[in-house]
Amino acid sequence: MGGRRHLTLVGAGLAGSLLAILLSRRGWEVDVYERRGDPRIKGYESGRSINLALAERGRHALRAAGVEEEVMRQAVMMRGRMIHGLDGSLQLQRYGRDDSEVIWSVHRADLNITLLEAAERAGARIHFHRRLHTVDFDAGYARLIDDRDDQPHDIRFETLVGSDGAGSALRAEMVRKAGFGERTEFLDHSYKELTIPPAEDGGFMIEPHALHIWPRGRYMCIALPNDERTFTVTLFLPNHGEPGSDEPSFASVRSGAEVRALFERDFPDALPLIPDLERDWEHHPPGLLGTLYLDRWHLGNRAVLLGDAAHAMVPFHGQGMNCAFEDCVALAEAMERDAGDLASAFAAFEAERKPNARAIQAMALENYIEMRDRVDDPDFLLQRELERTLQERHPARFVPHYTMVTFMRIPYAVALERSAIQRRILEQATAGRSDLSGLDWDALDRQVHGALPVLQDAA
Ligand code: FAD
Ligand code: 8RB
């Protein structure tokens, strides 16, 4: 293994490939084992065009790895939520104050390839078709399987880093050895992906610079733009309807004809945009949604988990990747600070990141209700108006929830705590009102000063 310190990463997805860059650049010798084939050769497996929302936390990590500019070249700006009413009405709700506060839609496959190439340039070795199967932590042996021929490949390791995603095999081995209090809370809702193709003239069928939402109370559709002029639509539905109601669910909407009837009734403006609706529906099983909690993320100096492997979350804040990227920077920094003692570096990483992962997991669950039910509600809109006004009056203290999560890098746990205080102020001040006239601004200003200390690098 030569003179340099060696690390073995499991999973060359988003976190694994980014971490490989950061650590290789810091002088670590890095081998990455990835279950799938090289996406540069055969195309991305399971590969329709899937996009993700990239926000400031993720961009900052990409910047640290020197790949931000390359990624941003293909990113599509999303300025806000485009709310599609049942009556066909459209309303853009901006995410931030101006175009410096926006999120970006990026292609998962392109992003992953960009990161893999940068990791290899930085000196990391990536081994494809190597699925982690079992680990002997005491002896320092791991068994990997090549799924093309079922052949085992055994390797020695000093330290394993688990970036193998929500179904992490490394986590399963760590849990088998040490417990870790693993639990997953599944949502009783699932999702299905559909596609809006380009228009006949090759352009976008609907406004490209927005994240589209069709809020329908207990369920919703969303759509994110792709740079090749398509949109990926995700329909989120309960698994089972409320007893006695006619609400759609994965149990009740089974056939292509039933999904067409659902769209005719609830998403009439989206229906003509999705020509392959029935085929998309019948060919892809619904995806499960859940939150994964662990009491511990590391096993001495032998193994550590990050990203979805450590804290998979529901998608509704669009922060799974952003949080995983933030983990990578935090882990690389902890390992730099404590290079001589990886067990204590991993413990410091876990202590820093676990409360923040818990916070974004909770906020992601909350944002489902907001997206599917609240965004078209007058009370909610009035609270957003007051939120913006209070931000203008107190830019360093009253920072909107979405801004703290999406456009800043303050710890998620701080965002959660301040959001709870702010929500109380907003709800209290707007209760029973239909507009902001007649509010006692002096009292509100005093309340803000009393409850919300100055937030460094807000304004
Ligand atoms: P992954 O990116 O899943 O990478 C895991 C890697 O490990 C994969 O390459 C996998 O093949 C490999 N692997 C798995 N098992 C093994 C094994 N046994 N041995 C070796 N390799 C293995 N997040 C956002 O921030 N914004 C979004 O808009 C967003 N949209 C999403 C849309 C969809 C449809 C989905 C499914 C997720 C979305 N997310 C989004 C979440 C985001 O994708 C994840 O949080 C992020 O990919 C986590 O990175 P990761 O590296 O931990 O896991
Ligand atoms: N995983 C997102 C947001 C917040 C948008 C807002 C929400 C699909 C699976 Cl559901 C969702 C957001 O509050 O206005 N930003 O980015 C991405 C989202 O879903 C992604 C595309 C998704 N993630 C399994 C499906």
Side-chain angles (χ1 to χ4, degrees):
M1 281 183 187
R4 287 189 299 152
R5 306 280 306 281
H6 186 263
L7 284 171
T8 304
L9 273 51
V10 184
L14 299 182
S17 51
L18 181 74
L19 185 66
I21 305 171
L22 297 173
L23 293 173
S24 299
R25 289 176 147 205
R26 285 172 152 86
W28 291 85
E29 190 177 354
V30 176
D31 281 280
V32 193
Y33 294 90
E34 165 58 45
R35 173 179 65 183
R36 291 178 296 192
D38 188 336
R40 292 163 295 188
I41 298 171
K42 266 186 60 189
Y44 211 61
E45 281 172 43
S46 85
R48 282 164 309 148
S49 75
I50 296 294
N51 43 21
L52 306 111
L54 176 68
E56 174 55 24
R57 293 169 200 272
R59 283 188 69 175
H60 175 257
L62 295 173
R63 211 171 294 148
V67 294
E68 185 190 21
E69 216 179 288
E70 189 178 343
V71 171
M72 292 309 292
R73 256 182 257 140
Q74 305 185 354
V76 181
M77 178 193 280
M78 298 185 287
R79 294 192 168 93
R81 300 172 171 160
M82 186 71 84
I83 307 298
H84 294 244
L86 241 190
D87 56 359
S89 63
L90 287 179
Q91 185 197 32
L92 180 72
Q93 299 176 1
R94 261 199 178 273
Y95 284 134
R97 285 173 290 195
D98 53 46
D99 280 0
S100 70
E101 294 182 332
V102 297
I103 55 176
W104 299 87
S105 181
V106 295
H107 226 152
R108 180 190 294 270
D110 293 345
L111 173 60
N112 208 157
I113 288 172
T114 297
L115 294 172
L116 288 170
E117 287 184 334
E120 287 185 341
R121 280 199 305 274
R125 287 184 295 263
I126 303 169
H127 311 269
F128 295 98
H129 298 294
R130 292 289 180 272
R131 174 171 59 84
L132 181 72
H133 178 61
T134 40
V135 182
D136 182 334
F137 293 101
D138 299 318
Y141 274 101
R143 170 156 292 187
L144 305 155
I145 306 285
D146 184 335
D147 285 326
R148 294 168 301 181
D149 56 11
D150 292 330
Q151 286 303 303
H153 299 261
D154 292 339
I155 57 162
R156 293 216 60 168
F157 68 88
E158 287 295 316
T159 299
L160 292 175
V161 180
S163 46
D164 50 346
S168 173
L170 178 55
R171 183 182 71 231
E173 290 296 272
M174 291 164 76
V175 164
R176 197 158 65 97
K177 183 162 174 67
F180 279 21
E182 178 189 40
R183 65 224 171 269
T184 301
E185 283 174 16
F186 286 100
L187 208 63
D188 52 3
H189 293 233
S190 303
Y191 71 96
K192 196 78 109 155
E193 282 156 352
L194 309 163
T195 303
I196 298 177
E200 261 169 37
D201 67 2
F204 286 99
M205 291 277 263
I206 51 177
E207 166 59 43
H209 296 297
L211 191 157
H212 294 261
I213 307 178
W214 289 258
R216 295 296 181 261
R218 284 253 301 153
Y219 51 96
M220 68 176 185
C221 242
I222 65 166
L224 274 71
N226 286 301
D227 67 338
E228 74 269 31
R229 312 293 190 259
T230 63
F231 288 82
T232 305
V233 178
T234 313
L235 173 62
F236 295 94
L237 277 187
N239 294 330
H240 301 279
E242 294 273 280
S245 86
D246 67 342
E247 113 183 333
S249 68
F250 280 106
S252 69
V253 182
R254 307 211 53 93
S255 65
E258 283 163 332
V259 72
R260 172 162 293 270
L262 167 64
F263 271 73
E264 275 167 1
R265 192 189 76 179
D266 287 342
F267 309 107
D269 63 327
L271 181 60
L273 306 174
I274 311 174
D276 290 337
L277 178 65
E278 287 91 343
R279 197 159 15 115
D280 283 352
W281 189 267
E282 286 171 349
H283 282 66
H284 304 285
L288 301 182
L289 301 166
T291 310
L292 170 94
Y293 304 97
L294 289 174
D295 295 335
R296 289 173 50 197
W297 292 358
H298 78 107
L299 203 61
N301 64 357
R302 274 304 208 188
V304 64
L305 301 170
L306 82 169
D308 281 7
H311 52 64
M313 65 190 75
V314 297
F316 306 109
H317 232 306
Q319 286 288 314
M321 162 186 64
N322 288 285
C323 179
F325 282 173
E326 203 171 51
D327 285 352
C328 294
V329 173
L331 180 60
E333 284 174 357
M335 289 171 66
E336 179 115 321
R337 280 196 303 269
D338 227 338
D341 180 359
L342 282 185
S344 84
F346 294 164
F349 164 73
E350 179 187 306
E352 176 191 341
R353 294 300 293 168
K354 205 152 52 94
N356 291 315
R358 291 280 163 100
I360 187 58
Q361 288 177 316
M363 294 188 289
L365 282 161
E366 287 171 7
N367 210 47
Y368 188 23
I369 317 286
E370 175 162 325
M371 291 179 76
R372 75 189 198 203
D373 198 34
R374 301 273 293 132
V375 288
D376 54 355
D377 174 322
D379 292 343
F380 173 85
L381 295 173
L382 187 62
Q383 286 170 28
R384 296 286 77 70
E385 191 186 336
L386 178 57
E387 187 178 49
R388 275 194 306 275
T389 310
L390 288 176
Q391 182 184 26
E392 280 163 24
R393 292 171 82 90
H394 307 279
R397 292 180 194 271
F398 202 107
V399 181
H401 163 77
Y402 192 87
T403 300
M404 290 192 285
V405 171
T406 312
F407 307 130
M408 298 179 76
R409 291 186 287 111
I410 59 169
Y412 286 122
V414 173
L416 175 67
E417 193 189 348
R418 295 182 71 104
S419 288
I421 297 168
Q422 294 180 170
R423 186 182 311 130
R424 269 197 302 279
I425 295 176
L426 295 171
E427 284 173 354
Q428 224 176 46
T430 57
R433 293 177 187 273
S434 56
D435 59 57
L436 300 183
S437 65
L439 279 183
D440 182 346
W441 293 102
D442 289 340
L444 268 172
D445 290 346
R446 279 194 303 276
Q447 204 182 355
V448 168
H449 272 258
L452 294 163
V454 164
L455 187 53
Q456 293 307 323
D457 46 72

